[in-house]
Amino acid sequence: RDERRAVRVSKYLARHLRHRPGDIGLVLDREGWADVGELLAAAARHGFPIGRGELERVVASDGKGRYALDGNRIRAVQGHSVPVELNLPVAPPPDVLYHGTAGRFVAAIRREGLRPMGRHAVHLSPDRETAERVGARRGAPVVLVVRAGRMAADGHEFRVTSNGVWLTASVPPRYLC
Ligand code: HQG
């Protein structure tokens, strides 16, 4: 029961810290931070009261480390569709990274490469198992292997979030194997 409530709170946070802050009158700064007091007040005002202690527990126990609390501010560490400047440093990726998707997207991906679709960047996983879980959200998963080391050598930039998701602008088809 607690677990279900935690998932609901996490989904509520994802919705408003990544995609639709304006729905509850929340303002994110350029780097995606919201004031915790404002977030809790806005949530309560819109019929979804969250306690401060509860928020802290959800952030600390979130299975994927989706949120960062920093004093009185909170942000989603990745996954945004609203414009934010995460200011993550460029980092050298491992030789290969993985992308989990559903079988029905594979033909288009092989043709066009990986595109960020609704988000800011293409999301890549450091291991096959994680990619499989990501792909399984949309159906029978297919895991694509990305030659990240070669991409970086060719000048593509990679960044890694605090929860271990690798981000890059797009992946041209020739780097997929
Ligand atoms: C697909 C979750 C057709 C792509 C996960 C994916 C992740 C294309 C979908 C994070 C395509 C976009 C991100 C192309 C890409 N043609 N389809 N050219 N290029 N696609 O949700 O990577 O739980 O925006 O394969 O764990 O699935 O939210 O990206 O299926 O880390 O924290 O278009 O979201 O994390 O879907 O997932 P998404 P994603 P959270």
Side-chain angles (χ1 to χ4, degrees):
R1 187 146 305 276
D2 279 3
E3 182 51 33
R4 266 170 46 196
R5 166 72 186 170
V7 169
R8 282 194 66 209
V9 171
S10 181
K11 285 189 189 290
Y12 190 88
L13 295 177
R15 177 173 176 84
H16 299 295
L17 294 176
R18 291 173 170 176
H19 308 298
R20 308 189 62 93
D23 282 4
I24 57 170
L26 192 65
V27 177
L28 308 184
D29 73 11
R30 290 184 45 203
E31 301 183 339
W33 296 100
D35 181 83
V36 171
E38 283 174 24
L39 167 66
L40 298 180
R45 218 167 43 235
H46 289 82
F48 195 91
I50 306 168
R52 187 174 281 258
E54 181 178 38
L55 179 78
E56 286 169 9
R57 284 192 302 279
V58 168
V59 170
S61 66
D62 183 82
K64 285 178 62 184
R66 292 178 176 88
Y67 311 102
L69 264 172
D70 171 42
N72 255 341
R73 28 179 228 167
I74 183 170
R75 76 173 175 183
V77 304
Q78 36 77 201
H80 299 81
S81 56
V82 296
V84 289
E85 193 47 71
L86 293 175
N87 291 325
L88 297 169
V90 173
D95 279 350
V96 298
L97 287 166
Y98 301 88
H99 180 83
T101 189
R104 64 183 181 284
F105 299 138
V106 171
I109 292 171
R110 292 217 174 272
R111 204 166 51 234
E112 310 169 350
L114 286 166
R115 299 194 291 126
M117 312 306 278
R119 309 202 194 228
H120 288 174
V122 170
H123 286 220
L124 302 170
S125 308
D127 58 85
R128 208 174 257 288
E129 296 67 39
T130 307
E132 212 164 287
R133 277 198 299 277
V134 172
R137 287 154 54 239
R138 308 189 182 283
V142 174
V143 174
L144 302 171
V145 178
V146 175
R147 292 189 182 95
R150 195 167 303 180
M151 279 183 70
D154 290 347
H156 292 263
E157 288 184 344
F158 287 80
R159 293 176 165 78
V160 61
T161 67
S162 62
N163 64 345
V165 176
W166 285 87
L167 306 174
T168 194
S170 64
V171 178
R174 65 180 174 282
Y175 298 107
L176 296 169
C177 52

